[in-house]
Amino acid sequence: MALERTFSIIKPDATKRNLTGAIAKKFEDAGLRIVASKRIHLSKAQAGEFYKVHAERPFYDELCEFMASAPIVCQVLEGENAIAKNREVMGATNPADAEAGTIRAEFAESVGENSVHGSDAPETAAEEIAYFFSGLELVG
Ligand code: DAT
Ligand code: MG
């Protein structure tokens, strides 16, 4: 399979606890290359736009507040089968269900404050990368 790219966010709960490096190491140890990386602080409106697919869910407002509560680190990860590999390294959405050794099993605090975001399909990966990065910022 050709190299694939996926979009990742290290979320506020993790940046606040100084876990950026520990999480990046998990990606690199899994064979994912960080080809773009930046630390930003989203407004609640920007968080709402990013997560608009969840607008009707009961946790949407809380999710947007959380995502705007502290800086995040946005990254593009590249590798063979990067989308699925990243989801594997992240672990299940609810850390209580996440496999041992995954980022969420080790670091997540709750289903809402679960340390990382990762794209779920090629279309969303392409959209999310384009939302946060220009082509010039992707350095393979
Ligand atoms: P994932 O982040 O694993 O792709 P998702 O896309 O279903 O999960 O949900 C997006 C985020 O919304 C998730 O990372 C945390 C939050 N979330 C999901 N389900 C939740 C719930 N039941 N209660 C609170 N927050 C939730
Ligand atoms: Mg998702």
Side-chain angles (χ1 to χ4, degrees), residues 5-18:
R5 285 176 173 174
T6 190
F7 178 72
S8 163
I9 296 177
I10 301 175
K11 293 185 178 180
D13 67 287
T15 63
K16 278 197 283 194
R17 287 176 290 146
N18 228 10

Side-chain angles (χ1 to χ4, degrees), residues 31-53:
L32 293 164
R33 180 178 301 277
I34 300 165
V35 300
S37 185
K38 66 181 164 195
R39 181 173 168 100
I40 60 174
H41 194 147
L42 290 176
S43 66
K44 191 175 173 189
Q46 289 168 327
E49 175 64 23
F50 176 71
Y51 270 127
K52 62 179 185 285
V53 63

Side-chain angles (χ1 to χ4, degrees), residues 11 51 53-54 57-60 62-63 66-67 87 90-94 104 110-120:
K11 293 185 178 180
Y51 270 127
V53 63
H54 295 302
R57 310 282 287 275
F59 54 80
Y60 180 64
E62 185 189 346
L63 174 62
F66 164 62
M67 291 300 289
R87 297 289 313 189
M90 288 165 59
T93 306
N94 185 342
R104 283 166 165 170
S110 65
V111 63
E113 307 205 357
N114 60 5
S115 303
V116 279
H117 163 82
S119 309
D120 56 13

Side-chain angles (χ1 to χ4, degrees), residues 84-103:
K85 190 176 283 179
N86 181 42
R87 297 289 313 189
E88 215 176 284
V89 175
M90 288 165 59
T93 306
N94 185 342
D97 302 328
E99 265 186 57
T102 61
I103 292 168

